Amino acid sequence: MNPAHIPQALRALLSEREIIADPAPLLVDRRGRYIGQAAAAVMPDSVENVQKLVSWCAEHRVPITPQGGNTGLCGAAVPNGGILLNLSRLNRIRSLSLADNAITVEAGAILQNVQEAAAQAGRLFPLSLASEGSCQIGGNIACNAGGLNVVRYGTTRDLVLGLEVVLPDGSLLSHLAPLHKNTTGYELKHLFIGSEGTLGIITGATLKLFAPPQAVATAWVGVDNIQAAVTLLSHIKNHFAERLCSFELISEFALGLSAQFSRITAPLAAPWHILVELTDSLPRDDLGDLLAEYLFNLGYENAVLAQSQQERADLWTLREHISAAQRSLGANIKHDIAMPIERVPAFTAACDAELLAAYPEMQIVMFGHLGDGSLHYNTFLPIRSNEVYQFEDAVNAVVYRNVLAQGGTIAAEHGIGSLKKHWLPHVRSADELALMRAIKAQLDPLGLMNAGKVLA
């Protein structure tokens, strides 16, 4: 179909308010890195209308790009023509079961709203991200988001009980019952979790809830090197077991940036820093004392324990403001990587040395979720922002070669999108890629679902 005729054709399917008059703000990704184009952009207000739209697109061979809160960093939600399908109007909390510890929501529900709905019912939905005030559940699932609490609760994949998905032909695959056990054949929901909208459009999900913490202990620990941090992590996991909720690694340079940006004094001086948090579902006053005593007995004496909610908030602000603070350095080449935890020290030593030998003026901002081996490894060069990306391929080659040498991955929680698809063959074997393409061809034989993303 002629793209110029698409907007008028859609008016026969959708109401006028579901067709976006000015889609320009939705065609640019969060970083301004990708600027897309679309013949039309829509915000359906029902799952039935999503089905109508997808059926029409299949009939007329029109590509569809699904979009949630558009907070991604890899260009996955930016369209390359066709129709942009934004799910923001599918945002209802459909049901909540205390007996099943489950909540059923629509894909456009903002993560923070889901957290609040759970809290109002006396439950915890533990997925927590910096963008939780604007990212949407459908996008979280499509990218298998991680965040701050993976060490205790797992990634988004571990929090999904059931999914509702519109398939590429417009049919509906719906299994939202909060079943905690189901061994009837293949578990199809896992095909769509992490698929970045290339196999279908997630419209609803049933998610796990947990008891909210009644006791919290938060400490900031200074260490001389990353190996000391890895050793501490191993000890705390073994001693405090499931009470360990977060274990964040922060470089001295990253802390300095965040402290200046946040106007909060750094809690202590050290080459590397750990923010560790324990939680317990039972009320107890001694959790902080137990943590402090344990750190002291292990020889980690350069540490502070949050003594109030405000002190805890300040420590987390220092961690969470790193991303915003590093923007003062200009444009950067970001890396969302993960590897076996024991190999993080070797990776950092080797990759830092190789990059700084090639780019002596480079500044490296490293921080992330050491508790699950997921790191943000961001590199800055002292050049104008619009020129930094000419070095991206060369810098990525160094970083990813070192990541893969440690048995790691180039995408931990942000996905592949457009940004990393040419790197996928370096991470996945030929047999794995062939299986991925076979699944794609079976579910989306016309190649209309988020065309050009993930699989090159």
Side-chain angles (χ1 to χ4, degrees), residues 322-403:
I322 295 173
S323 293
Q326 67 185 359
R327 293 175 195 150
S328 64
L329 301 176
N332 68 84
I333 302 170
K334 289 179 177 287
H335 305 96
D336 160 43
I337 56 177
M339 66 200 71
I341 297 167
E342 66 178 0
R343 298 184 182 180
V344 172
F347 160 78
T348 306
C351 196
D352 283 9
E354 188 172 349
L355 282 175
L356 293 175
Y359 309 97
E361 296 180 324
M362 176 177 281
Q363 294 175 304
I364 300 171
V365 178
M366 181 170 142
F367 62 102
H369 320 301
L370 185 62
D372 57 59
S374 171
L375 304 171
H376 302 291
Y377 190 89
N378 301 332
T379 58
F380 295 80
L381 290 166
I383 58 178
R384 289 183 297 181
S385 295
N386 60 351
E387 296 177 357
V388 71
Y389 294 119
Q390 65 181 297
F391 297 96
E392 185 169 42
D393 288 342
V395 171
N396 285 348
V398 173
V399 175
Y400 293 155
R401 182 173 64 251
N402 280 280
V403 168

Side-chain angles (χ1 to χ4, degrees), residues 16-232:
E16 192 66 33
R17 77 184 192 95
E18 293 175 288
I19 300 172
I20 302 171
D22 179 18
L26 301 177
L27 302 180
V28 183
D29 78 321
R30 184 178 185 180
R31 298 174 65 193
R33 179 77 187 279
Y34 292 93
I35 301 175
Q37 57 180 339
V42 299
M43 279 188 185
D45 56 16
S46 68
V47 174
E48 292 76 16
N49 282 356
V50 173
Q51 290 183 262
K52 287 181 187 178
L53 177 70
V54 173
S55 296
W56 182 89
C57 287
E59 179 183 354
H60 296 279
R61 308 297 195 265
V62 178
I64 307 171
T65 300
Q67 184 184 83
N70 198 22
T71 60
L73 302 178
C74 297
V78 177
N80 300 313
I83 293 175
L84 176 65
L85 172 57
N86 186 286
L87 293 153
S88 297
R89 286 208 178 103
L90 296 182
N91 56 20
R92 293 183 304 136
I93 308 294
R94 291 187 184 173
S95 64
L96 190 150
S97 170
L98 296 180
D100 287 294
N101 262 355
I103 186 171
T104 299
V105 305
E106 293 181 336
I110 292 172
L111 173 55
Q112 186 173 333
N113 293 344
V114 177
Q115 295 169 340
E116 291 173 354
Q120 289 170 8
R123 295 293 188 268
L124 170 73
F125 181 60
L127 183 63
S128 181
L129 315 171
S131 59
E132 61 193 30
S134 54
C135 66
Q136 297 174 10
I137 287 295
N140 298 149
I141 296 170
C143 292
N144 190 26
L148 301 171
N149 298 324
V150 171
V151 67
R152 178 164 185 174
Y153 298 102
T155 65
T156 301
R157 182 182 300 279
D158 300 299
L159 302 175
V160 175
L161 286 172
L163 284 182
E164 177 184 81
V165 182
V166 175
L167 299 178
D169 63 358
S171 59
L172 189 67
L173 181 69
S174 183
H175 202 288
L176 294 175
L179 291 177
H180 296 270
K181 292 182 178 179
N182 184 6
T183 58
T184 53
Y186 304 135
E187 188 54 272
L188 298 178
K189 68 173 181 279
H190 289 300
L191 283 176
F192 303 98
I193 302 171
S195 68
E196 300 183 52
T198 60
L199 300 179
I201 298 171
I202 297 168
T203 55
T206 297
L207 308 167
K208 294 180 183 178
L209 300 179
F210 298 83
Q214 299 297 317
V216 179
T218 308
W220 191 284
V221 186
V223 293
D224 292 333
N225 50 62
I226 300 177
Q227 184 56 57
V230 171
T231 301
L232 175 60

Side-chain angles (χ1 to χ4, degrees), residues 276-317:
V276 57
E277 186 159 279
L278 307 179
T279 62
D280 199 305
S281 58
L282 295 177
R284 54 185 307 166
D285 298 328
D286 62 343
L287 191 59
D289 293 337
L290 291 173
L291 176 58
E293 181 181 3
Y294 190 69
L295 291 171
F296 181 82
N297 290 338
L298 286 176
Y300 291 86
E301 299 179 26
N302 189 16
V304 296
L305 184 73
Q307 299 295 325
S308 67
Q309 182 58 37
Q310 184 58 54
E311 289 184 8
R312 175 180 178 266
D314 286 346
L315 295 181
W316 274 109
T317 295

